[in-house]
Amino acid sequence: MPEGDPLLKDVRKRVLGDFPALQEIRRRRPLYVEKLVKTVRDCAEYNQRYAAPAALELDWRMEQDHDYFAWDLVKAGLQYRFLSLAIPGMVEGVGGLTVMFALAMEEMCSTCAGIANIFGAHALGISPLLVSGALAQWETVLREVARKEKEGEPVLMAAAITEPSAGTDAEEPHFLAKARLSMNASKVPGGYVLNGRKCFISNGSVATYTMVACALDRERPLETWTSFLVHRDMEGFSVPRVEEKMGQRACPAAELLFEDCFVPDENVLGFEGDGMQPGTLLILAASRAPVAAIGTGIARGAYEWFLRWARRGKGGRAPIDEQRVQMALADMKTRVSLARWAYFNAALSFDATLGKVLSGVPMKAIGLLPRSVRTSEGMQRVYLSRAAKRGVEGIVAAYITSEEVTKALANSSLAKAVGGDTAMYVSSMALEMMGADQGEERVWVEKFFRDAKLTQIYEGTNQLNRLTVFMSDVDDSLRVELKPFIGRGPGKGAK
Ligand SMILES: Cc1cc2nc3c(=O)[nH]c(=O)nc-3n(C[C@H](O)[C@H](O)[C@H](O)COP(=O)(O)OP(=O)(O)OC[C@H]3O[C@@H](n4cnc5c(N)ncnc54)[C@H](O)[C@@H]3O)c2cc1C
């Protein structure tokens, strides 16, 4: 990046204005804030050079041919390391946490949420490996993603939770306990055999690796919900169809079919039965703030295009001269800001929690081991042993408490509902006020409107997110249960 990069200067000014809390954080952690600003700057450049020129044409093309996938746009993102933003530095990633990823999502989605969601769904696929502390897969899969990215070869990931008969039910423990599931995994020597279907899986048709969560016993789904890492070349895995979508079309949503698909023991993330508690709940605590940022970015994009339209004069007078348009602009701006602060707060609360684990002595010590040791076969065997897996769980429970992560889940669920509703509210208002205008601005706003709806649906519908806020923050019936060392109470020893 050249010295005195004008885009960097503009973005720094904008980011510090949009996130007033960062000004204070910058006084104590200037390098951290500069890394965030640099990421937003890269997203802004990506928007200008690649996403904006392609977005409308791609949206139209995918309406005609939903099997098409814009690999060129994914490859264009590699120079900015968009596939490694969430990958820890110790395995060659950028090492950004939730705040960085959320800021990136807002920026990208202010131009095209479909393209952005390819990177978003990829990060969702990474998150089960991160939160389960699956060090074996950090060294193999995550390192492969980061390394191949540097070599110009994209390795995409996806996360598959939803089943044809269980969407909302698969995202919350009380509901999962009573869910009607169609997919299951059976234990066989050396691994598991997966049978059934997953549906609506973002990136499902293009991902090299997909995290698949399913029950071992459909009569006891909560107790047996388990996370597996599936490679697209595994026998018995196929993609029967890609959905036709109304919005966010650039990111394909696919049905996945498992027919006696054998997955080896080492591809289980964490332990049998960990899939929902704490597995999925930790993933959602981490991922809902960036999804809230997707909604915020869509709302911001609609607002910015509406503002351009409002400034365009007709016969010496522009819509912005009318008080009703001024009030609408103020209302939109207010809602975008509130949604932004909600996701920023949620992301910060998750990072504050996770950061304690990552900056703790045990994780730092592992990171200090020579790479040759960490990537050796012997170390892989150690990482995959029950003792090491229990050790990782114990480290997490020693540094953070169930209360802290439950609060982070409540914050991210709150932000997600606000972000999705804001995207719908602002894009609808802009579209209604523009009327039947045929200009370019309206074409963009119409796309933002179609892109917005999904933000109320995925990552738990907004109804479910509200229920999560109620259960975790009002009546205390939902708690993220961390697994402490044997003999220690939850959160004991927390710092
Ligand atoms: C384009 C797209 C991409 C997606 N990407 C992914 C992905 O990458 N990975 C993945 O695993 N999933 C993905 N999903 C699935 C998404 O998470 C689910 O669609 C969502 O969880 C809702 O599930 P459902 O569609 O089965 O609706 P249902 O669960 O059947 O819900 C229908 C309606 O009933 C409401 N409802 C259900 N139960 C309750 C309740 N107990 N109380 C109150 N209201 C309730 C819901 O809020 C909703 O309004 C995607 C979906 C779409 C459309």
Side-chain angles (χ1 to χ4, degrees):
M1 196 184 311
E3 267 303 300
D5 172 9
L7 182 59
L8 183 67
K9 276 192 196 158
D10 282 357
V11 168
R12 187 183 294 115
K13 189 168 164 219
R14 173 159 60 81
V15 168
L16 292 174
D18 286 345
F19 300 90
L22 278 180
Q23 295 177 26
E24 179 56 24
I25 295 171
R26 187 159 80 139
R27 291 201 305 125
R28 284 171 288 116
R29 297 185 60 197
L31 291 181
Y32 165 69
V33 173
E34 202 49 30
K35 225 173 152 182
L36 296 178
V37 168
K38 153 89 171 53
T39 302
V40 178
R41 177 240 172 255
D42 287 351
C43 295
E45 184 178 280
Y46 178 83
N47 284 345
Q48 284 172 13
R49 290 177 62 186
Y50 305 104
L56 295 180
E57 176 73 23
L58 181 62
D59 181 61
W60 177 83
R61 180 171 185 169
M62 296 211 49
E63 186 185 13
Q64 318 297 315
D65 174 12
H66 45 273
D67 285 320
Y68 177 76
F69 186 66
W71 281 109
D72 55 329
L73 288 170
V74 179
K75 287 187 180 156
L78 302 184
Q79 62 191 295
Y80 305 106
R81 309 215 54 206
F82 290 160
L83 297 185
S84 295
L85 286 182
I87 294 181
M90 71 184 247
V91 285
E92 303 180 47
V94 174
L97 301 179
T98 321
V99 170
M100 180 187 282
F101 202 73
L103 261 60
M105 282 294 105
E106 182 197 320
E107 192 66 24
M108 284 192 199
C109 292
S110 68
T111 294
C112 179
I115 298 168
N117 198 39
I118 299 171
F119 300 106
H122 168 78
L124 182 67
I126 288 176
S127 59
L129 276 63
L130 293 179
V131 302
S132 64
L135 294 175
Q137 283 80 14
W138 287 29
E139 291 295 348
T140 51
V141 176
L142 296 187
R143 196 183 282 284
E144 177 190 342
V145 173
R147 181 165 293 169
K148 288 204 170 151
E149 180 178 58
K150 288 183 201 157
E151 293 164 2
E153 192 186 330
V155 176
L156 286 177
M157 305 201 49
I161 297 171
T162 308
E163 299 186 9
S165 55
T168 301
D169 287 349
E171 301 219 20
E172 202 286 324
H174 302 93
F175 301 162
L176 180 63
K178 297 180 223 152
R180 280 187 306 118
L181 299 166
S182 53
M183 173 151 182
N184 81 312
S186 312
K187 184 75 188 97
V188 295
Y192 297 79
V193 170
L194 274 53
N195 276 295
R197 284 170 198 270
K198 291 284 177 183
C199 62
F200 302 136
I201 306 308
S202 300
N203 283 355
S205 54
V206 289
T208 302
Y209 296 98
T210 300
M211 185 287 294
V212 179
C214 69
L216 295 176
D217 178 351
R218 275 181 278 173
E219 299 301 311
R220 294 188 312 124
L222 182 57
E223 295 80 2
T224 65
W225 198 245
T226 303
S227 304
F228 301 91
L229 192 66
V230 173
H231 190 282
R232 67 165 174 223
D233 292 338
M234 283 178 174
E235 214 167 304
F237 171 76
S238 61
V239 181
R241 72 180 184 146
V242 177
E243 302 292 340
E244 275 180 54
K245 292 174 75 180
M246 175 179 85
Q248 301 190 23
R249 287 180 178 142
C251 180
E255 182 173 307
L256 311 183
L257 177 62
F258 301 84
E259 296 170 296
D260 288 334
C261 177
F262 175 78
V263 181
D265 282 332
E266 55 265 30
N267 283 29
V268 172
L269 303 175
F271 288 98
E272 276 185 12
D274 281 356
M276 172 58 78
Q277 194 55 286
T280 300
L281 293 183
L282 281 176
I283 294 168
L284 296 174
S287 64
R288 282 180 175 164
V291 173
I294 292 178
T296 309
I298 292 171
R300 177 181 132 199
Y303 161 80
E304 286 171 356
W305 278 101
F306 178 70
L307 181 59
R308 280 195 209 189
W309 170 84
R311 284 184 171 142
R312 185 155 52 87
K314 277 183 210 146
R317 208 174 145 76
I320 202 164
D321 298 329
E322 296 172 35
Q323 210 171 42
R324 69 181 183 104
V325 175
Q326 295 166 5
M327 287 195 302
L329 281 163
D331 191 15
M332 291 178 194
K333 177 121 190 137
T334 304
R335 287 177 192 256
V336 170
S337 297
L338 291 175
R340 177 179 288 138
W341 297 333
Y343 87 66
F344 181 73
N345 191 45
L348 211 54
S349 84
F350 186 80
D351 284 357
T353 310
L354 185 71
K356 286 198 274 186
V357 180
L358 294 177
S359 59
V361 175
M363 288 306 286
K364 282 208 159 150
I366 293 170
L368 286 175
L369 289 173
R371 185 182 297 177
S372 57
V373 174
R374 279 189 280 132
T375 53
S376 66
E377 275 186 30
M379 203 62 190
Q380 277 291 307
R381 277 198 295 278
V382 171
Y383 285 148
L384 289 168
S385 67
R386 289 188 75 78
K389 283 186 175 185
R390 284 272 174 246
V392 170
E393 284 182 349
I395 290 169
V396 173
Y399 278 87
I400 57 181
T401 64
S402 285
E403 287 72 22
E404 283 172 311
V405 259
T406 304
K407 186 69 185 165
L409 175 66
N411 287 340
S412 63
S413 305
L414 175 161
K416 194 274 176 183
V418 171
D421 288 352
T422 301
M424 274 318 286
Y425 181 91
V426 172
S427 58
S428 315
M429 186 184 231
L431 202 58
E432 281 166 18
M433 294 198 77
M434 292 165 98
D437 191 288
Q438 295 298 310
E440 186 195 10
E441 297 93 342
R442 191 182 181 285
V443 177
W444 278 95
V445 170
E446 185 260 345
K447 180 178 175 303
F448 283 115
F449 174 74
R450 284 186 288 105
D451 287 348
K453 186 62 200 170
L454 189 50
T455 60
Q456 292 181 316
I457 298 172
Y458 59 16
E459 222 59 12
T461 63
N462 279 6
Q463 289 89 342
L464 175 64
N465 276 275
R466 289 195 174 86
L467 286 173
T468 304
V469 173
F470 172 77
M471 289 189 275
S472 56
D473 219 17
V474 181
D475 84 341
D476 293 333
S477 59
L478 176 63
R479 222 171 101 94
V480 184
E481 301 290 354
L482 299 176
K483 304 265 160 62
F485 281 125
I486 294 159
R488 297 174 73 175
K492 243 175 137 185
K495 298 204 164 75

